[in-house]
Structure formats: structure tokens, C-alpha cells
Amino acid sequence: MTTRCLVTGAGGQVGLDLIRVLRARGFDVHGSDIAPRPGPAQLDDDVPWHSLDVTDADAVESLFSKVRPHRVFHLAAILSARGEEVPQRTYHVNQTGTVNVLETCRKLEVERVIFTSTIAVFGPGLPELVPDDVPLQPTTMYGVTKVAGEMLGDYYWRRFGLDFRAVRFPGLISASLPGGGTSDYALFMYTDGVRLGHYEAFCRADTRIPLMYMPDGIRALVELSEAPRGSLRRSTYNIAAFSPTAEQIAASVSTAIPGVKITFAPDAHRQAILDSWPRVLDDDNARQDWGWQPEFTLDQMTEALVPKIRALIEQNPELFERDH
Ligand code: AKB
């Protein structure tokens, strides 16, 4: 029998790439989002798409009862920077939405729930190398709700046997516009670098956080979802790839876009968030339990990403325009 997967928040930065990879692996994949169905350039015509507001418990239950997924990839969330604009709404989408998804999966006996957590669960006062288990003291509503999501998922596993698994994503970078993250300065160096030949980053040059190229992030989700439960000693795992300073990213970008000018004008609010996040993540548990290993280094990502962004901008010059 073909495994059916349902992805929430599927129209976001991770979802569309995840759908492509799951389909290539032979899964029957359904997408859902509060946003309208993406166009054919982004999503194959034969992918079923459902309109879903995860804050509406009845709507979640009704859709999941209709689709009857074996696996749910719960991605729907508002990210850190946008999340601070209206924290109450972020709480509702990220927290109520996650409770609704978990509760429905429990009732319908969904086999597995895969959740995307983040480095934003951490807060100030971290060691240089940050393991899975340190006190979690997030400073953003996004981080607060992701800590709660991790803990709720773990509770549902221990209390109800719902097979819940999560990765803590570093800042993800891909050839698509992210939706309001604080790690976005890294991607904007590439997109504005190609589009305009310059970018003024909203962080200091020495800012250092964990980052990852999207194909590695997607592979992590898929590999964790397929790991034998017996090999998992925990529900939530740090995963890491590379941790360059913003200045090192700029240097890498300039190898692929000669003459690009990247400058730094820190924004106090976003800088404070970045400074509260880990500089380097320890992902030993993921490596040991389910064989996690990143493939892309910063420079390999640069080499792969710049031609992709160039091609996309040639097709659609407005694609990476933004008002912030
Ligand atoms: C954000 O910046 O909010 C996200 C994240 C690190 O989870 N990219």
C-alpha cells in the first residue's frame, strides 16, 4: 500500500521542496495551507491541495478524516521576525495549530507526525557548541511556541503512543523567498547579490548562526521520518551543516558573483534575536541515532544556489523583490 503523507503549511519555504522529494520517493502526497494553491511552476498539477487554517480544530479534523494520512509533516508556522509583529497571532497559529494537529492525529491514529522545530528554541547564555539538552529560554514568540511544540509532541508520544519526531532546523537557505525569518540576511546576500549587485545586511559582520542548504534540510526530514522508532532515543534532534559568520557568507557569495557589494547595518531588534541563538549546534545524537550527515558546505551551497537564483530571475525578474 502506498504511504499517504499530508503536509501542513505546504506553500512555505520548506513545503514545496518537501512535496517534490516525497513524491520522487513514491509517496502519495497531499499539500495543505491557508494560502492558495501555488502555480504549476512550483507544484505539479496532480498534487492534491487543500485549503486549511490549522487554528480551526474542526477544519483540521475534517480534512485529516477525509485524507486519512499515514504520515503528517506539520510545517505550518509563522517565523521569528514576522512572528514578533503580532505575537498573539503567532501563538495562535504555531501553538493552537500544533495542538490541533497533534490531537487530530491522536484521534485518527495517524502513524507518524514529523514536526519542524528550530534553533529559535534556544536563548541567551549558550555554550559555544550547543547540544540538544540545554535550558531552553527563547526570546521570540516563534521560539516559545516551538519549545511548546517539541514538548507537546514528546508528551503525545509518551502518553498516547503517537509517533512524534522533530528536527531543530538551522536557518534554511534555498532559491525561494522565506517568510519572515531572522536568518534571512543569509539568503538575501544571494538574491539581492544576483538581482542588484549589492545588499545591506541587517546584522553585524561577525554574526554567526547555524545555517543549512535546503536539500540537506529536506533530506533530514525524510530520513528522520523513515528511521526505525527503536533507534530513536529522543523525539527532537539538533541537526547541523555549517556555521559561518555573515562576513564569511559574503566572501563565499562574492566568489560566485564577482564585484558584489555586501555591507552591514545591524538592526538592533533582529541582531538581538540572532545573538540569542546558537553559534554552532552539536548534532551528535542525530548522527548516532539515524545516521544524519549534511552534504553541503557553504561553498558547495553557493556554487549550487547562484545559478539557480540567476535562472529564476531571468524567467521572472520580480521573483525576489521585497519591501523590507
Ligand atoms: C527564522 O529565522 O525564523 C527561521 C529559523 C531559524 O527558524 N529561519
Side-chain angles (χ1 to χ4, degrees):
M1 193 187 41
T2 312
T3 301
R4 189 171 314 115
C5 301
L6 175 62
V7 181
T8 71
Q13 195 197 5
V14 176
L16 295 170
D17 284 350
L18 176 64
I19 289 178
R20 269 189 289 275
V21 171
L22 289 173
R23 276 165 59 87
R25 291 171 87 101
F27 294 111
D28 171 19
V29 190
H30 289 237
S32 68
D33 205 301
I34 198 165
R37 181 189 181 93
Q42 290 178 290
L43 185 73
D44 289 342
D45 280 342
D46 58 342
V47 178
W49 187 264
H50 309 272
S51 169
L52 179 65
D53 174 355
V54 289
T55 67
D56 180 342
D58 292 339
V60 173
E61 191 166 336
S62 149
L63 176 66
F64 285 33
S65 304
K66 193 170 90 184
V67 173
R68 284 278 165 185
H70 303 101
R71 295 183 192 174
V72 169
F73 290 81
H74 177 43
L75 314 181
I78 301 179
L79 299 185
S80 56
R82 182 157 308 149
E84 290 308 291
E85 288 165 15
V86 187
Q88 297 78 0
R89 181 175 150 67
T90 306
Y91 178 87
H92 203 37
V93 172
N94 296 9
Q95 178 94 350
T96 311
T98 298
V99 172
N100 289 344
V101 167
L102 289 173
E103 191 49 16
T104 297
C105 289
R106 178 191 70 79
K107 284 191 200 154
L108 299 180
E109 298 184 356
V110 168
E111 282 169 20
R112 219 162 273 181
V113 179
I114 298 92
F115 177 68
T116 46
S117 190
T118 164
I119 51 170
V121 296
F122 298 104
L126 295 164
E128 178 68 14
L129 180 66
V130 178
D132 288 298
D133 295 315
V134 292
L136 300 177
Q137 285 161 338
T139 59
T140 61
M141 183 56 92
Y142 171 63
V144 168
T145 56
K146 288 292 185 178
V147 172
E150 291 182 1
M151 289 183 170
L152 281 164
D154 195 58
Y155 174 83
Y156 270 71
W157 160 237
R158 286 183 291 98
R159 177 76 171 81
F160 302 117
L162 176 66
D163 187 348
F164 171 93
R165 304 158 180 216
V167 291
R168 288 186 183 138
F169 271 143
L172 289 172
I173 302 178
S174 69
S176 71
L177 259 197
T182 313
S183 62
D184 295 355
Y185 65 90
L187 176 65
F188 295 158
M189 288 190 196
Y190 292 90
T191 54
D192 281 14
V194 172
R195 227 162 44 86
L196 309 169
H198 59 87
Y199 172 62
E200 184 172 83
F202 53 77
C203 62
R204 286 190 319 269
D206 67 350
T207 304
R208 185 174 186 206
I209 63 164
L211 296 170
M212 183 177 283
Y213 190 35
M214 185 66 83
D216 272 343
I218 302 292
R219 193 168 47 75
L221 280 181
V222 174
E223 286 177 4
L224 178 60
S225 76
E226 290 183 350
R229 182 76 225 192
S231 67
L232 305 180
R233 289 170 298 154
R234 49 188 307 120
S235 310
T236 298
Y237 289 88
N238 285 354
I239 52 168
F242 41 84
S243 273
T245 61
E247 202 165 29
Q248 286 167 332
I249 307 169
S252 183
V253 172
S254 65
T255 62
I257 314 173
V260 70
K261 188 162 179 269
I262 293 173
T263 51
F264 298 89
D267 163 77
H269 180 62
R270 282 182 283 184
Q271 186 66 57
I273 295 176
L274 292 166
D275 287 342
S276 76
W277 287 354
R279 288 162 63 82
V280 188
L281 278 185
D282 174 349
D283 60 0
D284 259 13
N285 286 324
R287 286 172 186 260
Q288 276 178 37
D289 288 7
W290 46 280
W292 161 247
Q293 254 194 331
E295 277 175 10
F296 286 88
T297 62
L298 171 65
D299 288 338
Q300 286 167 333
M301 176 182 80
T302 299
E303 210 178 300
L305 190 58
V306 170
K308 272 194 191 166
I309 292 174
R310 273 212 180 97
L312 287 169
I313 288 177
E314 257 164 46
Q315 282 161 22
N316 178 359
E318 280 112 63
L319 189 64
F320 292 105
E321 279 178 13
R322 60 202 156 75
D323 52 14
H324 59 285

